[in-house]
Amino acid sequence: MTYILIFISAVFVNNIVLSQFLGICPFLGVSKKIETALGMSGAVAFVMTIATLITYIIQKTVLEPFGIGFLQTITFILIIAALVQMVEIILKKVSPALYQALGVFLPLITTNCAILGVAIMVIQKDLSMLESVVFAISTAIGFGLALILFAGIREQLSMVKLPKAMEGTPTALLTAGLLAMAFMGFAGIV
């Protein structure tokens, strides 16, 4: 039951983008096409899950036992950066089209505060390793859901005639706000 609550909470109620406002840069930057949103969602899910697992192990086996918890942030950032480099190399070989489509946003996963935020949150919430992995996967699914929904809405809005002052960023921000309000409807679930 705990894992189901973690899943529902992370995906819908406390969505990392729409409720906690972490990961806004890729949310706004890679959401013009569903195809690139799917690719970014997959890359973020992979990095977030693996980074959370590795940072949890490092925290529990190195940082806490040796009393060097003050190095948590820099250690986590280095681990995330190394994982993003690995994902970038793999994507370049496996899917050059997706690698080109993600462009500059792929290296930005390194500084995606959602990934670092999840790694730190599992430590702060004192979750077990399995709960941490479930939380990371659920958060990644929530991030992907928000990103793909937002990309679909933006694709549809690109076909609509809008006033000149509302084209681009203003419409994107209003749409993101409306999507966040829609997700607030899930607040009573958990």
Side-chain angles (χ1 to χ4, degrees):
M1 188 67 171
T2 303
Y3 302 114
I4 294 170
L5 289 174
I6 290 172
F7 179 81
I8 292 170
S9 176
V11 174
F12 300 109
V13 179
N14 296 317
N15 188 288
I16 195 84
V17 177
L18 300 174
S19 177
Q20 298 178 21
F21 307 113
L22 296 174
I24 297 292
C25 180
F27 180 71
L28 292 174
V30 190
S31 60
K32 292 182 181 171
K33 291 183 176 181
I34 292 178
E35 181 182 323
T36 54
L38 282 168
M40 179 60 93
S41 297
V44 167
F46 176 76
V47 172
M48 189 177 288
T49 305
I50 301 299
T52 301
L53 181 63
I54 293 172
T55 55
Y56 182 88
I57 292 169
I58 296 294
Q59 177 75 24
K60 297 298 181 184
T61 60
V62 178
L63 299 179
E64 286 179 7
F66 292 108
I68 52 175
F70 60 90
L71 293 174
Q72 180 187 54
T73 304
I74 191 72
T75 304
F76 288 8
I77 289 172
L78 290 172
I79 291 167
I80 292 166
L83 286 170
V84 169
Q85 288 300 313
M86 184 179 73
V87 168
E88 192 170 357
I89 290 167
I90 291 169
L91 273 181
K92 198 172 193 178
K93 295 214 183 269
V94 173
S95 179
L98 180 58
Y99 175 78
Q100 289 294 333
L102 292 175
V104 72
F105 294 103
L106 191 58
L108 286 179
I109 294 176
T110 303
T111 58
N112 186 344
C113 55
I115 295 172
L116 180 60
V118 168
I120 291 173
M121 274 189 258
V122 298
I123 303 301
Q124 289 176 341
K125 292 181 178 192
D126 200 30
L127 299 176
S128 69
M129 185 184 296
L130 185 56
E131 289 172 337
S132 298
V133 171
V134 169
F135 181 74
I137 292 169
S138 303
T139 303
I141 290 170
F143 177 84
L145 176 67
L147 186 62
I148 292 164
L149 284 172
F150 190 57
I153 293 168
R154 286 186 75 179
E155 273 190 6
Q156 293 298 313
L157 284 172
S158 68
M159 295 184 261
V160 175
K161 179 78 172 135
L162 295 171
K164 185 83 170 153
M166 292 301 293
E167 289 178 359
T169 306
T171 301
L173 292 175
L174 283 171
T175 304
L178 291 171
L179 195 56
M181 285 186 354
F183 269 69
M184 284 176 59
F186 294 114
I189 292 177
V190 178

